[in-house]
Amino acid sequence: MMNLNFFAQPRGLRRLVIAAALATVAPLAGATHVGEELTLDQQAVASSDQFLSALRQFESMPAAQREAAIQRLTQLAEQRRARMLALIERNPKLAALRVLPATVRNRLPVQVQALVERDVALTGVVRAHVADDFARGRSQTLLHVLDDAGQRLELRLAQATEREQLSWVGKRAVINAVQFDRQLLVLEKRGVQLAALGGTTVGGTATPTTSAAVQGPQTALVVMLNFNDQPIECSQADLQGRMFGGSGSTLDQGFRQGSNNLVSFSGQVIGPFTINYSKGGSCDYNGWATAANALAQAAGFNPQNYMRVSYTMPRNLNCGWLGLGALGGTQPTPSWVQQCTSTGTFSHEIGHNLNFHHAATPGSEYGDASDPMGAAKLVQANAPNRVMAGWLAGSQVQDVTVGGTYSITVLEATAPSGPQVLRLRKADTNEYYYLSMRQPVGVDTNLWTTYQNNVSVHQSTGVMPAYTILLSSLAGGQAWSDAANGITVTSLGVSGSTATVSVALGGSTCVRQAPSIAASPAGQTAASGSMLAYALTLTNNNAAACPSTSFNLAQALPSGFSGALASSTGSLASGASINVPWNVTSQTGMADASYTLNATAADAATGSSAAAHASYTVLAAPPPPPPPPPPADTTPPVVAITSPAANATLTSRVVSLAAQAGDNVAVASVGFYIDGNLVATSNAAPYSANWNTRKAARGTHSITVRATDTSGNASSQTISVTLN
């Protein structure tokens, strides 16, 4: 089950938080800790080091003693797994540095391997849920994979950008990752390869689409729930009217008006049903839904017969969100709302079901209140969402490729006299700007005045699901500029239902951005004193108008390590990338542990920089196995009686017996037998014995010599002699 108690910073601040985290390093037990999750990281590193030490001890033990040591190894593996799972949930980037390479797992006993991460490659459909905490202005988008075997696995990414992640939603993908229980940790963004690219390429670049996210009548079931210690505050009749009423400020009217009647909603509000959960209990929203579905079916309503199912209940403070919605996905798509008095919250979460993401501003996750996907207000959709959903197309959208003066008809117009959206390509990121104007018509009477009769400038990728970002709201005479792409938009004022804008497309200017740098592979294992080969990928992110830029590369290694970069400087054109080999050697005799390697790239002109990290796990090769036992000796010795001769007639009272014996390994003993009775044994050559015949009867006797080797193999020879 997903844990939604942790949320990222507002979208506009996330990159700053990550950059600050990567700039912080502190040593502990041979490792470097990065970022604010220091305690979790310390625990994960300590567990890994203890585990590696126990593995070495296990491998050094005689085979007869290993069984008892497996229990200790298992306990440490379980402890490490719990800490790694917590770190993966909190900070996948950090967790990627603490992953043990597959070579370590392969050395473990079979019963311990199941407790350690493993490399997997699977194919499935990428899905997402979005959890919204409107009060704190923060959200969390959690990805999961429904693989071809039917299991659901949570997807965590160490490198991919938010835009890249959203480009995967709803698509089949081949995923190469490290699996911990039901968590998939993708160490490098190339670990996700789209199986059916459509209009999107791996890496997140997109092409505009006019394909509708959804069209036609939508059926929805809203299930009202009471907790066993807290009733819901809304009435069924009130919510039925606000959701599906025929006119006024209803969810249905919001989507009808925003989509030019391409989308409508009808359905039923049922309940409230009391479920056996408390307002102070765990945030088991899946459990709530299961209980609600059973009660709905008992009341004659099958949720599977609806396209959208929304569960609404009192506030549970352990959830950390007010609304939660599946981002697209198979029908019926679910949503959860803990704010039943707000129709806009239902519009927002069901909007996620229709594949819309948030309407933001540069510094606020929900900053654009001109769309229900912003501050969860009951208003019509903004311009980029209408275009990406296919609700505006053809003559309603005009692509601007040359500077000039243009007119825009108000978005709320049902029979526009001209284009309602101007779209400009943002060449440096392959995104788009959207220019539009709004007026208080229909549900848009709820629009804040700052959005009315002003020209809105939005930015988005052009492909859903995607954030839309409101960059400016221009009153007459105000201008907005993008220097990197040489674009200036000026509002010339509004007359009636038409806004006039001036678009200037001048030469772009040089806007410098921090470079990007990544290390590959994410981690390797070797004995101390070994050299391991890594590669750094450096990318120049400066605007296209910037000249080639020189970058300085540097490394920061743990004590006892040495490294060599193939080049410490490089010149790159804007947008270009280069791979730099990086060889790192650990000092002989270093403790078995996982160590973090750091590399930085800095713009030589501005000093702006970025950092990359990889892990080097020191673990000596396992001791060689004992030599195999020699093959069993099954070859008997060779023996021959040399005295007396066969069939000889003997007259002496003491007869000398002699034999020769040989073996492929060694002869242990030679026994002399008279008539089957042992009379003497000889343990070394020459093999001989004496036979006293004084008491022996006259006549024929048998003499047998039996040779035995060190493996117990035996052979014999028997002859007959006559005593006179």
Side-chain angles (χ1 to χ4, degrees):
M1 181 182 298
M2 294 181 296
N3 186 322
L4 300 177
N5 292 325
F6 167 71
F7 292 86
Q9 295 290 333
R11 184 174 186 270
L13 303 179
R14 292 176 190 164
R15 293 182 181 85
L16 296 178
V17 171
I18 292 173
L22 294 179
T24 305
V25 293
L28 176 75
T32 300
H33 299 275
V34 185
E36 58 186 0
E37 290 81 10
L38 181 60
T39 300
L40 281 176
D41 192 34
Q42 288 174 329
Q43 292 174 344
V45 169
S47 288
S48 293
D49 291 349
Q50 289 176 332
F51 182 67
L52 292 173
S53 177
L55 174 59
R56 282 293 306 280
Q57 293 174 7
F58 172 82
E59 291 178 332
S60 300
M61 291 178 176
Q65 300 178 17
R66 288 187 174 183
E67 191 63 34
I70 288 180
Q71 182 177 357
R72 170 63 174 163
L73 202 58
T74 300
Q75 291 173 344
L76 290 174
E78 290 175 338
Q79 180 187 72
R80 178 182 175 275
R81 179 182 62 174
R83 291 175 173 177
M84 283 295 296
L85 286 170
L87 185 60
I88 289 171
E89 184 175 295
R90 180 72 175 177
N91 190 325
K93 186 184 293 289
L94 262 180
L97 296 177
R98 310 309 176 208
V99 168
L100 295 178
T103 51
V104 175
R105 185 178 191 274
N106 295 338
R107 291 166 57 171
L108 297 170
V110 173
Q111 55 268 59
V112 182
Q113 287 184 1
L115 302 172
V116 179
E117 60 267 32
R118 61 190 179 98
D119 293 339
V120 296
L122 56 85
T123 303
V125 178
V126 179
R127 300 295 188 194
H129 280 71
V130 182
D132 297 299
D133 186 352
F134 303 108
R136 296 178 178 85
R138 58 191 187 180
S139 76
Q140 187 179 26
T141 301
L142 292 179
L143 301 183
H144 61 275
V145 177
L146 296 175
D147 72 6
D148 291 345
Q151 65 176 338
R152 171 178 166 149
L153 301 169
E154 304 303 324
L155 188 60
R156 308 284 180 169
L157 303 128
Q159 289 186 0
T161 66
E162 190 169 59
R163 180 180 175 185
E164 288 165 337
Q165 295 177 39
L166 290 179
S167 75
W168 302 332
V169 174
K171 296 182 176 65
R172 285 182 58 78
V174 179
I175 298 174
N176 292 277
V178 174
Q179 183 173 352
F180 294 78
D181 292 349
R182 302 189 67 82
Q183 299 275 4
L184 290 178
L185 178 61
V186 179
L187 303 182
E188 303 177 54
K189 62 184 179 182
R190 64 184 179 183
V192 177
Q193 298 291 326
L194 298 186
L197 295 179
T200 305
T201 61
V202 174
T205 55
T207 54
T209 178
T210 56
S211 299
V214 63
Q215 290 188 1
Q218 304 292 303
T219 57
L221 180 67
V222 180
V223 186
M224 300 176 63
L225 300 174
N226 298 324
F227 290 135
N228 56 22
D229 57 353
Q230 181 68 47
I232 193 169
E233 57 184 320
C234 300
S235 71
Q236 183 189 100
D238 169 62
L239 192 52
Q240 179 77 34
R242 288 190 287 113
M243 295 291 288
F244 309 118
S247 61
S249 293
T250 68
L251 175 140
D252 172 51
Q253 286 298 311
F255 280 104
R256 283 179 184 269
Q257 295 170 21
S259 68
N260 287 334
N261 287 312
L262 290 173
V263 173
S264 62
F265 272 85
S266 63
Q268 185 68 40
V269 178
I270 61 173
F273 303 115
T274 300
I275 57 177
N276 191 27
Y277 291 87
S278 67
K279 65 181 180 180
S282 64
C283 184
D284 185 8
Y285 59 91
N286 284 321
W288 305 342
T290 299
N293 289 344
L295 292 169
Q297 289 183 345
F301 298 91
N302 185 351
Q304 293 297 319
N305 295 335
Y306 295 83
M307 299 169 70
R308 321 292 169 193
V309 179
S310 185
Y311 308 94
T312 182
M313 67 290 298
R315 188 83 168 91
N316 181 304
L317 296 179
N318 290 319
C319 287
W321 46 264
L322 288 173
L324 169 66
L327 189 58
T330 56
Q331 298 177 7
T333 47
S335 61
W336 291 259
V337 172
Q338 298 189 90
Q339 197 174 33
C340 68
T341 57
S342 170
T343 310
T345 302
F346 286 94
S347 296
H348 184 105
E349 301 308 332
I350 292 176
H352 283 315
N353 295 166
L354 303 186
N355 220 26
F356 293 106
H357 215 305
H358 290 151
T361 56
S364 175
E365 182 81 11
Y366 307 103
D368 180 11
S370 71
D371 188 289
M373 302 311 297
K377 305 296 182 183
L378 184 60
V379 293
Q380 297 182 29
N382 63 25
N385 273 337
R386 294 186 195 216
V387 175
M388 290 190 293
W391 296 345
L392 291 178
S395 62
Q396 296 167 300
V397 180
Q398 181 176 354
D399 285 304
V400 175
T401 58
V402 295
T405 300
Y406 297 86
S407 296
I408 312 172
T409 301
V410 66
L411 270 183
E412 290 80 4
T414 57
S417 58
Q420 294 172 283
V421 177
L422 301 180
R423 183 169 60 188
L424 297 84
R425 184 170 180 270
K426 188 177 184 295
D428 60 339
T429 61
N430 200 25
E431 294 178 290
Y432 295 87
Y433 294 127
Y434 301 81
L435 310 182
S436 63
M437 189 262 289
R438 304 280 287 275
Q439 290 182 338
V441 177
V443 298
D444 273 359
T445 55
N446 296 323
L447 270 177
W448 294 349
T449 56
T450 187
Y451 304 118
Q452 299 177 18
N453 294 300
N454 287 334
V455 174
S456 296
V457 182
H458 284 90
Q459 173 186 334
S460 194
T461 65
V463 177
M464 298 176 67
Y467 277 87
T468 66
I469 305 171
L470 177 64
L471 301 174
S472 187
S473 185
L474 304 175
Q478 293 181 328
W480 170 87
S481 295
D482 170 6
N485 292 283
I487 299 173
T488 299
V489 176
T490 304
S491 172
L492 302 181
V494 174
S495 176
S497 61
T498 301
T500 304
V501 298
S502 170
V503 178
L505 301 178
S508 58
T509 59
C510 175
V511 177
R512 293 183 177 274
Q513 304 287 341
S516 301
I517 186 171
S520 179
Q524 299 184 79
T525 300
S528 64
S530 301
M531 188 275 287
L532 291 177
Y534 296 81
L536 298 173
T537 301
L538 170 65
T539 302
N540 182 351
N541 294 323
N542 290 338
C546 295
S548 294
T549 302
S550 294
F551 295 94
N552 296 323
L553 295 173
Q555 59 183 351
L557 303 177
S559 176
F561 280 77
S562 60
L565 292 163
S567 176
S568 60
T569 61
S571 180
L572 286 175
S574 297
S577 298
I578 189 174
N579 290 321
V580 179
W582 183 26
N583 295 333
V584 179
T585 303
S586 60
Q587 182 176 311
T588 301
M590 294 192 72
D592 293 334
S594 185
Y595 299 83
T596 300
L597 316 176
N598 306 288
T600 58
D603 186 321
T606 65
S608 62
S609 63
H613 312 277
S615 68
Y616 184 129
T617 299
V618 172
L619 184 62
D633 176 19
T634 60
T635 303
V638 177
V639 63
I641 300 172
T642 58
S643 180
N647 301 316
T649 298
L650 307 177
T651 59
S652 175
R653 296 299 180 220
V654 178
V655 177
S656 295
L657 307 177
Q660 292 180 340
D663 188 68
N664 62 321
V665 178
V667 174
S669 64
V670 173
F672 294 86
Y673 298 81
I674 303 298
D675 298 329
N677 298 310
L678 179 67
V679 296
T681 300
S682 178
N683 295 323
Y687 303 105
S688 62
N690 291 323
W691 173 26
N692 189 338
T693 64
R694 286 186 175 86
K695 296 181 180 181
R698 301 294 181 264
T700 302
H701 295 270
S702 65
I703 300 174
T704 300
V705 178
R706 178 182 177 86
T708 304
D709 66 15
T710 53
S711 297
N713 302 307
S715 62
S716 62
Q717 183 185 23
T718 300
I719 64 172
S720 295
V721 296
T722 301
L723 284 181
N724 278 338

